[in-house]
Amino acid sequence: MNPIQSAVASFKSYALPAVVGVAGCIAVAGLLVPARAAEKDAKAEKGVDFVKDIQPIFKESCVKCHKAPDARGPGRGPGGPGGAAPAGGPGPGPGGGPGGRGPGGPGGPGRGPAGGFRLDDKAAAMKGGKHGAAIVPGKAEDSLLYKLLTAPAKAGDDEVSAMPKAKRGEEFKAIPDDQIKLIKQWIDEGAKWPKQ
């Protein structure tokens, strides 16, 4: 066999199967990429489902601070009456009363949702809080809720902290990007929130 024939035989036995294999992988990958894109397009066409996609995000990251006040929790309701005067001593004993530690618990007025904004109720969420409407259906870029998911934002004369608000001594940590994108898409699609 001459050198050219040897090279051709070598190519057929080693390189040709490798080339065919690589071409096959590229073809399969080429089919998978459009399939994944089609899945995303189908989700985008179907729209975001509030109960399945958005409500769990709100419950996990927002509702702890942005819910109706709970009058039964500690420090949420008025304190109990003052205790009886200690034997032989002036004034009331260690009773409840606002801030007291006796019957009635720690007392103090009920605390409302942070910023006056609730995310546990559709009507309250759409009404907004002390900075006005936070959800502008169809306009995520104009919605304070969306803006605050990545950075602080101006609302009138106030600078509002990014959400969820960082705990004392900790830095802000945004919710995952895919959740922010879902909330943006939900608002852009009209912020549909089914009746409760």
Side-chain angles (χ1 to χ4, degrees):
M1 200 184 317
N2 70 36
I4 293 177
Q5 290 174 332
S6 177
V8 170
S10 183
F11 176 78
K12 285 182 181 177
S13 62
Y14 296 109
L16 189 57
V19 169
V20 170
V22 169
C25 288
I26 291 171
V28 169
L31 294 174
L32 291 178
V33 170
R36 287 188 183 140
E39 283 178 27
K40 285 184 180 180
D41 289 345
K43 176 137 178 113
E45 285 178 25
K46 185 181 100 180
V48 177
D49 180 284
F50 176 81
V51 173
K52 188 174 118 270
D53 300 320
I54 303 301
Q55 196 168 35
I57 298 170
F58 286 173
K59 282 184 178 178
E60 175 70 25
S61 303
C62 310
V63 171
K64 180 179 179 185
C65 299
H66 296 280
K67 65 178 179 177
D70 180 3
R72 293 174 295 175
R76 302 284 186 174
R101 299 260 178 233
R111 188 168 174 191
F117 180 56
R118 290 178 51 193
L119 281 170
D120 63 337
D121 176 78
K122 177 182 181 177
M126 294 303 169
K127 179 181 173 191
K130 73 178 188 178
H131 297 292
I135 301 170
V136 181
K139 298 179 180 181
E141 298 292 337
D142 295 339
S143 299
L144 186 59
L145 172 69
Y146 172 68
K147 291 176 188 179
L148 293 175
L149 292 176
T150 56
K154 288 287 265 181
D157 293 334
D158 296 332
E159 176 85 10
V160 183
S161 299
M163 297 289 155
K165 196 168 182 179
K167 294 178 183 174
R168 279 200 184 121
E170 294 182 16
E171 290 189 28
F172 167 70
K173 182 181 178 207
I175 63 174
D177 287 343
D178 61 325
Q179 292 181 354
I180 294 171
K181 288 176 186 173
L182 270 174
I183 291 171
K184 180 184 188 313
Q185 183 181 346
W186 171 70
I187 295 171
D188 283 338
E189 290 175 359
K192 297 177 187 97
W193 188 325
K195 292 182 181 179
Q196 298 166 340

